[in-house]
Amino acid sequence: MTSTAVAPVAPAEHPAAAAVQAVRASDTLAAKRERAAIDASLRLPVLLFFGSATAWLLFGSLLLVIASVKLSIPGFLTGTEWATSWMNVPLGWLGLSLPASFAGDSGWLTYGRVHPAGWDALAYGWAAQAGFAVAVWLMARLCRVPARSRPFLYSAWAVWNTGMLFGTLGVLAGQGTSVPWLDYPQHAQLFLFVGAALVSVWSVVLFRVRQPGPLYVSQWFIAAALLWFPWLHATANLFIFHLPVQPAATGPVHWWYAQGFITLYLTPVALAAAYYFIPKIVGRPVHSYALSILAFWALAVFGPWVGMTRLTGGPFPAWLVSAGVVAAGMMLIFVVATGINHHATMRGRADALRWSPTLRFVVVGATVFTLGSVQAAFMSLRSVAQVVHFTHFVEGHDFLMLLGFYSMVMFGAICYIVPRLMNWEWPSAELIRWHFWLVVSGVGLLWLALSMSGFIQGLALNEPKISFITTVNYTKIFLWGRTLGLLLILAGHVAFAASFVLMSVRAGAIRRRPTLLAMTPAEEDAPPAGTAAAI
Amino acid sequence: MNRMPVIIVGAFLAFFLSWVGLVATPYAQIGRAKPDIDDITKDQSPPPLPGTSIQGSAVFASNGCVYCHSQQVRGGNSSDIGSGGADLERGWGARRTVARDYMHDRMAYFGAVRNGPDLSNIGARQPSVDWHYQHLYQPAVVSPGSIMPPFRFLFEKRRIAGQPSADAVKLLPPDLPEPGWEVVPTNEAKLLVEYLLSLKRSTYPLPEAPEEKPPQ
């Protein structure tokens, strides 16, 4: 634990107060200046990543809502007559109209394109980019040097978003590959690879010039994530799309990549953030150094194998699936070690969840991570997999990990980082509250609907006396729940984006203290003891 | 753990091990499939894809069919993590799918969620070209209760010039074209249907996958 990773914030009566006071004494003006210089150096690159991530987040959730409605109303937005007739109104004023061939049905919004385009916009546009920003910022803070070689980051941002644009347009226009998580055409994938590699190279450069001092847990996770992701991505694309091989052999590689993207890139980045922000806000060092070492190596050793559980019942060597099941079980070491560590760090300081937006998002995300990982281990069991394989249950799990765990941690990180970059506090606590509760209820509903749907669907599919169309009919009510959940999530994301936009123009009045969740305006004028730095 | 080289080398080695296990080994184990050739008839098994159906595979991919349709029959043997044979009893195939079944395709579309039925043997189950065109154009009419979106953008509605076209789709009410108009499949639709008709993945024998039940 370096001194930079601890903010002195515990109230005086707290048992940890003595330790915190000691740290506070060491938090000199020089240290504060150092942090301010680092934040200033990263203002533009990190805000660029967060800004475009937010845009893709909105776009992706909107596409997923459209796709979800289509599962209930298959004809929804299939034709472009509506768009054509709308566009013809302003064109009519100019005496023009679209050619007749433009009207009629278009493939751009068919389910099989909108769904992957929306999902990948969330995964790569939002999740991966927010991850870059958080990794870059944490790395600079923990290396205690202002960012240099910033053109690396600007190019990474430009290249990555160009790839996203090509990829999304490609999938919607019908160049998608139909390999889930790798839907983008190869030219877009090349851009993504270069973007990710630039971020990795930049981190290595920064790390080489760090100030001497012990490494912090978050640095291990970020270093590993930035090593694994470009490697995973390049290998998967090369082996799946370029090597001449019989197609069935790409199955293991594909799930090695797709699960690896979650387990080996998103998860370590989110945990790096959790390991940083939880101790920082509760004002107490990480409970156990040994547990975090255990967690790290358990992730590194077992994490890459977990994806094989997705190959259940497929035409693959049986040992692959068995290896995946074992790894999914062993991953519980990683999950339990992480969970205990965070819980023990938090113990006695749960009240901070009421006022700190960062802590609330991060802790909810970390809790969902624990529960979701237990669900994953459970899903890998043979008797369960037999039922839930090929059903909505698995999809519900993917949504839970992406939106309930990873996104929440990123939102928490953004709540903390952006005010420091902008020198401005969040303009509206109300918007943060709406954001939080809409996303929590939306993810909860989405997960419940898909889990119940998938379980019933799976049992019905395994009973051949039930006709196939009946298995579809069983899920229809839950598909509406899926849409409603995604709508709530979209609304939450809109609240977040609104907050972000207001922040970027420094809207609202000057606040002398951080924007907290559990305070009335009257309280804001009279700071309560012990909460001063507790954002 | 204050030495980054230890972390990087450790993370590298652990990851490299998984690369060997999950990327290199499967490529070596099942990557180089050859068809089974009958000693007497010299028939290939699986048979090569007919005509231009491999191009139809690209249409299948570009429209994301795989997001609702699997191409993987789960077996009924207790050694498989299967569905207890339900896939077989539904008539989706006479045996479980094995790696060689995909060897002539562009990509193996295993599938994710079964919002629609498995397509491994759709060419054997629904051999009618007309049925496929009708179904793509008006899925809910052909298959009541279906949540498949209509793929009308794969068709062209045009005024009949002279004689009606030979390949005009025989649509069912309520989607009949106005008198004097007809609906014809585009080239993409033709390729897609050709591909779907080529999907007959348990109609040929493979030694590693004996038939588990007679096809229904």
Side-chain angles (χ1 to χ4, degrees):
Chain A
M1 194 82 220
T2 65
S3 62
T4 50
V6 179
V9 289
E13 71 277 12
H14 193 271
V20 170
Q21 290 300 337
V23 178
R24 179 179 285 171
S26 73
D27 192 22
T28 59
L29 192 61
K32 283 178 184 151
R33 282 209 179 114
E34 181 184 278
R35 291 202 296 269
I38 293 169
D39 290 343
S41 74
L42 278 172
R43 177 169 301 140
L44 189 55
V46 169
L47 283 176
L48 278 176
F49 273 120
F50 278 149
S52 50
T54 307
W56 286 111
L57 176 71
L58 279 185
F59 178 75
S61 7
L62 178 67
L63 287 193
L64 284 179
V65 168
I66 293 174
S68 193
V69 173
K70 282 166 166 285
L71 286 177
S72 299
I73 310 172
F76 180 67
L77 295 189
T78 39
T80 44
E81 283 96 348
W82 58 277
T84 318
S85 55
W86 275 100
M87 279 189 275
N88 272 335
V89 172
L91 285 173
W93 299 334
L94 303 169
L96 301 169
S97 73
L98 289 168
S101 61
F102 195 84
D105 286 287
S106 145
W108 281 65
L109 290 180
T110 194
Y111 176 83
R113 299 188 195 173
V114 178
H115 175 79
W119 182 265
D120 286 6
L122 283 191
Y124 299 104
W126 154 250
Q129 276 201 101
F132 290 148
V134 168
V136 159
W137 184 83
L138 281 178
M139 210 56 175
R141 274 284 190 110
L142 291 167
C143 291
R144 295 168 56 212
V145 281
R148 45 191 84 190
S149 322
R150 274 172 295 187
F152 267 99
L153 294 177
Y154 300 133
S155 345
W157 176 82
V159 168
W160 185 272
N161 282 288
T162 310
M164 285 300 304
L165 209 59
F166 284 160
T168 306
L169 288 175
V171 169
L172 291 177
Q175 301 169 12
T177 63
S178 273
V179 177
W181 298 86
L182 288 170
D183 299 275
Y184 293 161
Q186 281 300 293
H187 59 274
Q189 299 286 7
L190 185 64
F191 277 93
L192 296 191
F193 171 74
V194 172
L198 282 170
V199 174
S200 298
V201 170
W202 179 87
S203 306
V204 172
V205 171
L206 185 84
F207 190 80
R208 297 291 295 253
V209 297
R210 71 189 183 280
Q211 290 212 23
L215 292 183
Y216 183 57
V217 188
S218 302
Q219 284 167 297
W220 317 337
F221 280 107
I222 291 173
L226 293 179
L227 166 74
W228 291 331
F229 177 49
W231 188 356
L232 267 170
H233 187 263
T235 314
N237 278 295
L238 186 68
F239 276 74
I240 295 177
F241 297 105
H242 298 288
L243 290 192
V245 71
Q246 90 107 328
T250 61
V253 188
H254 171 236
W255 281 114
W256 175 75
Y257 169 77
Q259 183 67 48
F261 178 71
I262 302 178
T263 314
L264 299 174
Y265 173 59
L266 299 187
T267 301
V269 168
L271 288 183
Y275 269 111
Y276 185 84
F277 291 115
I278 294 177
K280 187 118 181 148
I281 287 162
V282 302
R284 186 194 273 176
V286 167
H287 171 71
S288 162
Y289 185 69
L291 273 179
S292 44
I293 295 181
L294 177 67
F296 179 81
W297 289 116
L299 174 72
V301 173
F302 302 115
W305 297 79
V306 179
M308 297 305 108
T309 57
R310 308 275 188 138
L311 302 177
T312 292
F316 309 105
W319 69 270
L320 279 174
V321 181
S322 309
V325 174
V326 172
M330 297 303 276
M331 276 292 274
L332 289 177
I333 298 175
F334 162 65
V335 174
V336 169
T338 309
I340 291 178
N341 220 357
H342 289 157
H343 183 75
T345 310
M346 279 290 296
R347 195 167 46 207
R349 294 288 284 136
D351 53 332
L353 289 172
R354 276 183 52 244
W355 64 68
S356 165
T358 298
L359 193 66
R360 194 189 281 188
F361 277 111
V362 171
V363 167
V364 167
T367 311
V368 169
F369 168 70
T370 310
L371 299 177
S373 306
V374 173
Q375 188 198 7
F378 174 73
M379 265 162 50
S380 73
L381 297 177
R382 193 187 164 98
S383 49
V384 181
Q386 194 157 324
V387 176
V388 301
H389 186 221
F390 282 146
T391 72
H392 296 144
F393 195 91
V394 183
E395 196 184 23
H397 173 75
D398 287 342
F399 270 119
L400 184 74
M401 294 313 262
L402 188 65
L403 297 177
F405 151 54
Y406 181 79
S407 284
M408 292 306 255
V409 176
M410 288 301 112
F411 290 138
I414 289 175
C415 281
Y416 187 93
I417 297 171
V418 174
R420 281 158 179 79
L421 302 180
M422 292 296 296
N423 291 322
W424 196 257
E425 297 303 334
W426 289 103
S428 165
E430 197 65 26
L431 272 179
I432 303 180
R433 262 193 293 273
W434 275 103
H435 169 207
F436 178 81
W437 287 111
L438 282 168
V439 171
V440 165
S441 51
V443 172
L445 179 61
L446 179 64
W447 179 76
L448 261 181
L450 286 174
S451 299
M452 284 165 33
S453 176
F455 197 66
I456 294 171
Q457 185 189 15
L459 289 176
L461 275 171
N462 287 354
E463 179 44 76
K465 288 192 196 72
I466 299 176
S467 73
F468 181 78
I469 202 69
T470 311
T471 70
V472 176
N473 286 332
Y474 286 155
T475 65
K476 282 182 177 169
I477 180 77
F478 300 107
L479 290 177
W480 279 112
R482 181 188 197 272
T483 302
L484 187 60
L486 283 167
L487 268 174
L488 289 171
I489 292 169
L490 175 64
H493 291 166
V494 169
F496 165 69
S499 212
F500 191 86
V501 168
L502 289 176
M503 182 68 164
S504 64
V505 297
R506 297 208 172 99
I510 294 179
R511 289 168 186 259
R512 277 170 291 130
R513 294 179 312 94
T515 308
L516 303 179
L517 293 175
M519 284 171 67
T520 62
E523 282 174 314
E524 288 192 26
D525 293 325
T531 63
I535 179 170
Chain B
M1 295 224 299
N2 274 323
R3 298 225 309 276
M4 192 51 100
V6 176
I7 292 164
I8 292 293
V9 169
F12 182 92
L13 286 180
F15 195 70
F16 181 73
L17 193 66
S18 82
W19 182 89
V20 171
L22 305 181
V23 180
T25 315
Y27 271 60
Q29 271 191 310
I30 56 176
R32 298 268 171 264
K34 284 201 178 66
D36 205 49
I37 297 178
D38 191 286
D39 290 339
I40 300 154
T41 62
K42 303 293 175 204
D43 282 347
Q44 283 190 25
S45 199
L49 288 184
T52 46
S53 50
I54 191 76
Q55 294 175 40
S57 176
V59 182
F60 187 88
S62 88
N63 291 301
C65 308
V66 71
Y67 284 97
C68 294
H69 294 283
S70 56
Q71 285 189 29
Q72 178 188 322
V73 177
R74 297 185 296 172
N77 296 334
S78 54
S79 60
D80 301 326
I81 304 181
S83 53
D87 288 10
L88 306 172
E89 284 191 50
R90 285 184 190 283
W92 287 350
R95 56 170 173 79
R96 70 190 294 256
T97 317
V98 294
R100 272 206 281 186
D101 287 327
Y102 302 92
M103 64 175 288
H104 297 302
D105 210 333
R106 285 169 74 246
M107 186 60 73
Y109 303 109
F110 299 113
V113 177
R114 279 176 172 168
N115 286 322
D118 190 89
L119 297 181
S120 302
N121 285 285
I122 187 67
R125 275 210 318 280
Q126 296 286 1
S128 153
V129 178
D130 289 337
W131 183 91
H132 280 285
Y133 286 142
Q134 286 169 358
H135 183 248
L136 285 170
Y137 194 86
Q138 39 179 191
V141 175
V142 175
S143 169
S146 166
I147 58 172
M148 177 162 135
F151 285 86
R152 295 193 181 173
F153 59 90
L154 295 178
F155 295 85
E156 191 189 341
K157 190 171 172 180
R158 64 182 185 198
R159 205 180 281 280
I160 300 175
Q163 288 294 311
S165 309
D167 57 359
V169 183
K170 300 174 184 65
L171 291 172
L172 303 171
D175 297 314
L176 297 174
E178 297 83 357
W181 290 72
E182 63 182 1
V183 170
V184 290
T186 59
N187 193 40
E188 282 197 312
K190 289 178 186 167
L191 291 171
L192 177 61
V193 169
E194 191 182 350
Y195 173 67
L196 292 173
L197 291 176
S198 79
L199 293 175
K200 298 173 181 171
R201 293 220 170 109
S202 56
T203 53
Y204 45 83
L206 280 180
E208 68 269 36
E211 251 183 44
E212 296 177 46
K213 275 180 201 299
Q216 291 177 355

